[in-house]
Amino acid sequence: MVKLTGKKKIPIAVFISGRGSNLKSIYQFSKNKNSFINLKLIISDKLLVKGVLFAKKNKIKTKIINYENKNIAEKQIINFLSKNNIKLICLAGFMKILSKKFVNRYKNKIINIHPSLLPKYKGLNTHERVIKMREKYSGCTIHFVTERIDSGKIIMQKKVRLKKSDTPKSLARKVLKLENELYPVAISKVISMI
Ligand code: GRF
């Protein structure tokens, strides 16, 4: 177990592919002196996305990974992770599937955020499906990453009640707000466990 005493913050990495709103909330949280995390590295498989622009603006170390060859890409990522002594990987809208080998190497050290109340609505287009099924509630889940998509042990969830007037767009907005609030809380919880 990592001792959360003294001034040393735990180095973490965030993996992104796009907008980066969760990245932003994790970054803001890391700036809080009681947060115990140091957002040391960002990995992105895309170059000109909002998340990367945010990282550059805030001078966070960012590595853009060419994913033409997954094996080589993951070797590069492992190299950056170990160079930066990363203790926890947070996936935040990262659209590449990590190999079994990679996931096993970082067992219980990779977490992901998903915009549904898992185990319901794994995969893509969650909000459309939730609305179609006339669910009363939706929400977000932070879970450990295993080789099976959106299936690892759940760390935290937060739910929101749907209105009859909700559309996939309005629901997405509500759930994203919850995601941005919950991710830093879940990271703190995991950090105190590793
Ligand atoms: C979020 O909805 C997250 O749950 C999903 O991808 C989206 C990423 O959003 N895995 P952002 O890039 O953090 O704004």
Side-chain angles (χ1 to χ4, degrees):
M1 188 184 274
V2 179
K3 274 199 181 150
L4 297 179
T5 51
K7 280 188 187 151
K8 236 175 178 281
K9 292 193 174 203
I10 310 295
I12 71 161
V14 176
F15 288 23
I16 60 165
S17 297
R19 179 179 51 191
S21 72
N22 284 295
L23 162 69
K24 195 171 166 186
S25 81
I26 295 168
Y27 173 73
Q28 280 160 355
F29 177 68
S30 76
K31 289 287 154 196
N32 171 349
K33 71 173 168 26
N34 301 317
S35 75
F36 291 114
I37 59 165
N38 169 15
L39 173 47
K40 206 166 172 199
L41 178 68
I42 294 172
I43 298 286
S44 174
D45 64 308
K46 295 263 161 54
L47 180 57
L48 289 172
V49 289
K50 261 177 119 179
V52 169
L53 301 179
F54 173 84
K56 297 255 183 260
K57 197 172 152 202
N58 290 284
K59 301 189 171 54
I60 316 165
K61 193 187 288 176
T62 304
K63 301 290 177 192
I64 312 295
I65 305 294
N66 178 344
Y67 245 86
E68 242 162 64
N69 178 319
K70 186 165 171 159
N71 198 23
I72 297 174
E74 289 193 344
K75 276 194 180 136
Q76 282 176 355
I77 295 176
I78 290 170
N79 186 27
F80 290 131
L81 293 173
S82 53
K83 265 192 191 152
N84 288 282
N85 195 25
I86 297 300
K87 296 280 188 281
L88 180 71
I89 297 164
C90 304
L91 307 184
F94 186 61
M95 298 306 284
K96 297 290 178 195
I97 296 173
L98 298 168
S99 70
K100 182 178 173 181
K101 202 170 150 201
F102 188 97
V103 170
N104 287 339
R105 185 186 178 116
Y106 296 99
K107 200 162 180 255
N108 293 329
K109 301 272 186 297
I110 313 175
I111 63 175
N112 180 43
I113 187 155
H114 183 76
S116 80
L117 294 172
L118 291 174
K120 282 182 149 184
Y121 303 103
K122 295 173 184 174
L124 297 174
N125 304 320
T126 53
H127 308 305
E128 284 83 350
R129 290 184 282 142
V130 164
I131 301 258
K132 208 168 170 190
M133 293 306 288
R134 298 174 194 273
E135 295 282 0
K136 281 207 174 90
Y137 292 93
S138 190
C140 64
T141 305
I142 290 124
H143 64 94
F144 286 105
V145 172
T146 61
E147 56 176 300
R148 283 172 45 232
I149 289 182
D150 301 330
S151 298
K153 192 172 170 233
I154 291 172
I155 300 159
M156 284 183 121
Q157 290 184 310
K158 202 164 183 180
K159 63 180 182 178
V160 65
R161 203 186 165 95
L162 267 81
K163 281 191 191 151
K164 282 220 172 79
S165 58
D166 268 324
T167 61
K169 211 173 162 190
S170 68
L171 181 59
R173 209 176 308 124
K174 283 188 209 172
V175 171
L176 190 65
K177 188 167 178 284
L178 295 186
E179 292 187 35
N180 296 163
E181 287 164 10
L182 193 63
Y183 214 169
V185 182
I187 291 173
S188 303
K189 186 175 170 188
V190 174
I191 289 283
S192 68
M193 290 177 344
I194 58 177

